[in-house]
Amino acid sequence: MKAVTFSAKLPTYIRTMILGKINRKNYYSKHSCVRFEEVAEPALPGEDWVKVKTLYGGICGSDLGLVFLHDSPLLTPFASEHFVIGHENIGTIVEKGSNVKEFAIGDRIVADDKQSCEPRGIPECSNCKKGKYNLCLNFTEGNLSPGTIMGSCEDTGGSWGEYYVAHRSRLFKVPDNLKDEEAVLVDPLSSALHPVLKDFPDDGEKILVLGAGIIGLLVTAVLRTLGSKADVTVLARHGFQAELAEKYGATRVVRNGSLDKMAELTGAKIVKPIMGDKYL
């Protein structure tokens, strides 16, 4: 199958770092860590797994960080040496193991990307028992290659390939009234919904949303959808982001982190250090 892959081999990594600084396009050339190439379709790791044909694969900010080597090399022990990129996903089940009873061939699904204890076939760690799969202690253990998520694990594939595999415990069936283009946003929507629910603001509180990318916009939308009347300020870089933030309920939008405006809103002072930029 065709896929966009990442290779973390040290010589390739160093070469990409050097050539990328000369020309940005070298971050995704035939000599770089990121390549568009032919790879084998991922096989079912066991009878609790399904194979999914990709309908859409989202482009996360972390994916762009990977392409342009913005991520710290300190994270490499928690990823496979070679893998298919992509964790934001929606697809159709084309094959399933004998233990998968609750899903059928042809079902549209979104897969939770975490490759924690249960998919790895090992007893749940203390964090997984609490439902904190993102803090799993065993991302390099068990029956799978290292990888915190689909899209960093060699055995699962990723949504930047034609097929990927997912454990039945991580599957969510997509309702018929939800479009593919909407369902692929489940991952960033979850990233917005979770922190809001963990610390839902009182109506009298002031909220600052740093950035108006997809997750920042969804945080704003989630707050208003769940009935929050809090004062919400959104920092936006681009005009179209500002328009969307206002559409989804921001009390106000501050463009490009204007210090004067933020000082006015917060009652803070603007100070100037001997070197560097002013700050509040």
Side-chain angles (χ1 to χ4, degrees):
M1 69 174 187
K2 297 290 187 182
V4 180
T5 65
F6 185 88
S7 173
K9 293 181 179 179
L10 186 58
T12 306
Y13 192 94
I14 294 173
R15 181 173 65 236
T16 305
M17 286 186 67
I18 295 171
L19 294 178
K21 293 183 184 303
I22 297 172
N23 187 325
R24 186 177 172 87
K25 291 183 178 180
N26 288 330
Y27 283 115
Y28 42 90
S29 73
K30 63 181 180 180
H31 303 296
S32 74
C33 294
V34 175
R35 299 180 186 179
F36 180 58
E37 60 183 345
E38 190 77 30
V39 298
E41 290 182 20
L44 296 183
E47 296 302 323
D48 292 314
W49 291 72
V50 300
K51 180 185 285 189
V52 183
K53 181 175 176 57
T54 304
L55 293 172
Y56 280 101
I59 302 175
C60 178
S62 64
D63 294 325
L64 296 179
L66 186 68
V67 170
F68 295 109
L69 302 187
H70 292 161
D71 295 336
S72 170
L74 291 173
L75 298 175
T76 53
F78 300 98
S80 297
E81 189 175 67
H82 184 267
F83 54 84
V84 177
I85 303 173
H87 57 274
E88 297 181 6
N89 67 91
I90 177 177
T92 305
I93 295 176
V94 294
E95 182 183 349
K96 66 174 189 169
S98 59
N99 293 337
V100 181
K101 308 297 184 184
E102 56 273 64
F103 297 92
I105 302 296
D107 281 351
R108 281 192 312 154
I109 62 92
V110 168
D112 185 339
D113 53 30
K114 307 299 180 297
Q115 303 306 314
S116 47
C117 290
E118 189 170 3
R120 292 182 171 279
I122 55 180
E124 288 191 323
C125 67
S126 56
N127 286 335
C128 285
K129 286 179 180 178
K130 298 174 185 176
K132 298 179 179 180
Y133 307 114
N134 59 312
L135 301 178
C136 176
L137 303 175
N138 293 311
F139 284 131
T140 62
E141 309 299 329
N143 300 330
L144 296 178
S145 298
T148 57
I149 57 173
M150 177 182 81
S152 70
C153 176
E154 182 176 8
D155 301 328
T156 60
S159 60
W160 289 18
E162 294 181 76
Y163 296 91
Y164 55 93
V165 296
H167 192 270
R168 63 176 182 149
S169 66
R170 297 295 180 261
L171 303 180
F172 297 88
K173 189 172 180 180
V174 177
D176 292 338
N177 63 348
L178 204 62
K179 298 177 183 177
D180 294 342
E181 297 92 331
E182 296 166 335
V184 76
L185 296 177
V186 165
D187 181 286
L189 176 60
S190 300
S191 298
L193 179 63
H194 182 77
V196 170
L197 290 178
K198 289 283 285 185
D199 190 16
F200 196 77
D202 295 331
D203 287 346
E205 289 191 81
K206 291 185 176 182
I207 307 300
L208 176 63
V209 180
L210 292 168
I214 185 64
I215 294 177
L217 291 171
L218 287 171
V219 165
T220 307
V222 164
L223 283 166
R224 295 311 190 209
T225 300
L226 296 181
S228 173
K229 295 181 175 61
D231 183 293
V232 179
T233 299
V234 178
L235 298 188
R237 179 177 298 173
H238 305 294
F240 74 92
Q241 293 176 325
E243 292 175 10
L244 287 170
E246 290 173 348
K247 174 183 176 181
Y248 290 127
T251 308
R252 70 189 61 78
V253 179
V254 177
R255 291 287 306 279
N256 298 315
S258 167
L259 276 182
D260 291 333
K261 185 63 176 177
M262 293 307 299
E264 176 189 332
L265 291 172
T266 61
K269 279 184 178 179
I270 298 176
V271 296
K272 177 71 170 74
I274 191 171
M275 294 178 64
D277 296 330
K278 297 177 183 178
Y279 62 91
L280 296 183

